[in-house]
Structures are given as C-alpha cells and as structure tokens.
Amino acid sequence: VGHIGTWDHWREMDTYQVVASGNVENSDTYGYLYRTINHANNLIAYVPDIKDMSADEKDDVRGQAFFMRGFAYFDLARIYAGIPGEVGTMGVAIVTEPTQGIDEGSYPSRSSMDATWTQVKDDLEKALSLLPESHGNDYDDRARVTKATARALLSRYYLYMKDYQQSADYATQVIDDGRFELVDDYASIFNTDFTREAIFELDYSVSDPNDHANWYLPPTKGGRGDLAAHTEFRNEVASRPNDQRNLFDYEPQQQIWYPTKYSKTSNNNDQ
C-alpha cells in the first residue's frame, strides 16, 4: 500500500524516509508496542503473587501476556530490525522486566538480530505452554488468545525463519482445530465480526473505533483516500483471476486502486 494523499507521515513511511523526530505515526507505533511489552512484563512478574486466583487463571493471564509480548517483538523486529539472512543487521531493545518509572534501565541498547527473533520464539512457546485450548465460548476463543492463536503466530514466525516444516506443522494443528474453517465469502472476514475463519480478532465498535476505513476508502466513499495499492501490486493480483484480494475500487480518471476491505465509515471493522 502506498501514500497518495496529503498526510506526510504515511508518505515518509511509504518511501522509507522517516523523520524520526516528527513522524507521529511512526513514534506512536513504536511507543504503543513498548507499552504493550511493559504491560505484559508487569503481568508476567506480579500475577503469580495474586491471592484468591487459581493456578489455571494465573497461567491463562500470564500466557496471554507472554503471547502479547512475543507479538509485539514480532512486529518490532519486522518494522525496526530486519529478517535474518534477508535484510538488516541489528535487532531491537529487549526489555523483559516491568518498568514503573524512569531509571537507567529505561534506555536499553539494541540487541542483536538473533536475540530479537529468539525472544519472539521463546515468548510464543511459553505462551503456548500456559494458555488454555479454549476459554469456554466461541467469542472469547477469538477475542482472546488461546493455544491455537499461539500456534498460528508460531507458524508465521517459522515462515520468516524459512523453517517451512515447522511452519506447516503449526499451521496444520490450527487447520485441524474444529473451531476454524475458511469462509466462502472472503469479504465477510473484514465486514462481519468473528467469522469461523477468525483465529484472533480485535473487537472494534462505534465507541471504540479504528481508522482503517478513514485512511483507505476514497473520498467518494467517505474516507480520506490517503492510501492506495501500488500499481505493481495491483497488476500482480489482477493477473490471478481467482485471487480473492481483487477487492479494490478503481478510480478511472486517476488510475488509483483503493483497498476497500475495511468499508465501514463508522471505522468499526474488526481487525
């Protein structure tokens, strides 16, 4: 997806020319990921000491925290570090102790590439060992993480590591889980909440929205239209008639392809 609008922050990120001190979208992304990590660190450290909480409940909460920390490092590695053997040479700062104030530990150095990706794997494997198979109902099994969620992300992790057998093994475990199946209508994955295909879904609402439709939809459909598909990507997708990603709206006079999978102008499409 490329930038075609007036919001310079997206243009900088699209062209890999980010001004670190002034790009709000970039600094927000980085900051929110480390806030997520710190929330997880606090849960991992202090939940074991909570009284009147069963061992299974503690395992569940800590399992979710390990998953979210691993998920955050997964995104940090891909955005701010690189892929081993492909691009980049450094990792990101690894913080595994809870922070409750500013001290010397608030300014960690960047770790190595290998250490960063190992942290992702270790956290996801720890989450898998602690999480339940199910929270007891269909909504919670998709809106909260379970063992299936950890297996799915471990499958993606091993794709990046080019360990295709491990990736296939974890993916097969999710595929064989009776709670999940592919839906016939690809668009319904984005326009309908918690379909049978959803493994882990962020539950947005009108009172707690996101900005997806605002950025992606063209002005004629109620959005800003700042982000559109690169022509090369659009042409590659169009060359595959059965590719379900052919969900674009075409602006004929401007030769612009807008991804319109997030189509609710109320900005409450789940993600």
Side-chain angles (χ1 to χ4, degrees):
V1 175
H3 172 269
I4 61 169
T6 59
W7 196 256
D8 286 346
H9 297 164
W10 292 123
R11 175 186 53 75
E12 291 177 2
M13 297 171 81
D14 182 33
T15 58
Y16 299 98
Q17 296 176 344
V18 175
V19 179
S21 60
N23 191 303
V24 175
E25 306 298 337
N26 176 60
S27 59
D28 282 352
T29 298
Y30 188 84
Y32 288 142
L33 287 169
Y34 273 105
R35 288 182 195 178
T36 298
I37 288 167
N38 192 46
H39 289 320
N41 287 341
N42 276 276
L43 290 170
I44 291 167
Y46 298 120
V47 162
D49 297 329
I50 297 177
K51 297 180 180 180
D52 301 322
M53 192 175 186
S54 71
D56 286 345
E57 289 173 325
K58 291 179 181 180
D59 283 350
D60 184 6
V61 172
R62 294 180 76 241
Q64 293 183 64
F66 274 110
F67 176 87
M68 294 310 301
R69 191 172 76 179
F71 198 175
Y73 278 122
F74 183 68
D75 280 347
L76 282 166
R78 295 185 302 146
I79 298 171
Y80 298 106
I83 313 299
E86 293 295 329
V87 63
T89 58
M90 300 179 68
V92 299
I94 296 176
V95 183
T96 57
E97 297 297 328
T99 300
Q100 298 177 341
I102 302 298
D103 54 33
E104 292 183 3
S106 302
Y107 306 95
S109 300
R110 293 178 68 164
S111 67
S112 68
M113 177 84 76
D114 287 344
T116 298
W117 283 96
T118 297
Q119 184 68 47
V120 174
K121 178 176 70 73
D122 289 348
D123 279 347
L124 295 180
E125 289 179 343
K126 184 65 174 178
L128 181 59
S129 72
L130 293 171
L131 286 166
E133 288 287 354
S134 171
H135 292 295
N137 64 80
D138 194 58
Y139 172 84
D140 281 341
D141 282 356
R142 301 175 196 279
R144 299 165 61 191
V145 295
T146 63
K147 286 188 185 296
T149 326
R151 291 174 183 132
L153 193 52
L154 277 165
S155 178
R156 288 196 70 190
Y157 165 84
Y158 281 111
L159 273 179
Y160 279 83
M161 297 300 103
K162 296 185 178 181
D163 187 337
Y164 300 123
Q165 186 58 57
Q166 279 275 55
S167 179
D169 289 346
Y170 277 116
T172 299
Q173 292 181 61
V174 179
I175 292 168
D176 290 343
D177 190 318
R179 290 169 295 174
F180 312 110
E181 62 184 8
L182 297 179
V183 296
D184 293 330
D185 181 11
Y186 180 74
S188 70
I189 299 171
F190 308 98
N191 296 322
T192 304
D193 294 346
F194 301 103
T195 66
R196 293 284 294 174
E197 195 164 332
I199 300 170
F200 177 50
E201 189 166 307
L202 299 182
D203 189 12
Y204 289 101
S205 65
V206 174
S207 59
D208 185 19
N210 55 52
D211 268 345
H212 296 331
N214 179 56
W215 292 114
Y216 288 103
L217 286 181
T220 53
K221 292 187 177 295
R224 282 181 58 101
D226 272 50
L227 302 173
H230 283 291
T231 302
E232 294 82 358
F233 175 79
R234 170 57 197 161
N235 289 342
E236 182 176 349
V237 173
S239 70
R240 306 168 183 170
N242 296 323
D243 194 322
Q244 291 293 312
R245 290 175 298 176
N246 279 295
L247 294 174
F248 294 88
D249 267 0
Y250 180 50
E251 197 73 39
Q253 294 181 342
Q254 297 174 290
Q255 302 289 298
I256 296 172
W257 293 95
Y258 291 101
T260 54
K261 61 185 181 182
Y262 297 115
S263 59
K264 297 180 182 179
T265 55
S266 54
N267 285 290
N268 64 326
N269 287 97
D270 281 1
Q271 182 181 11

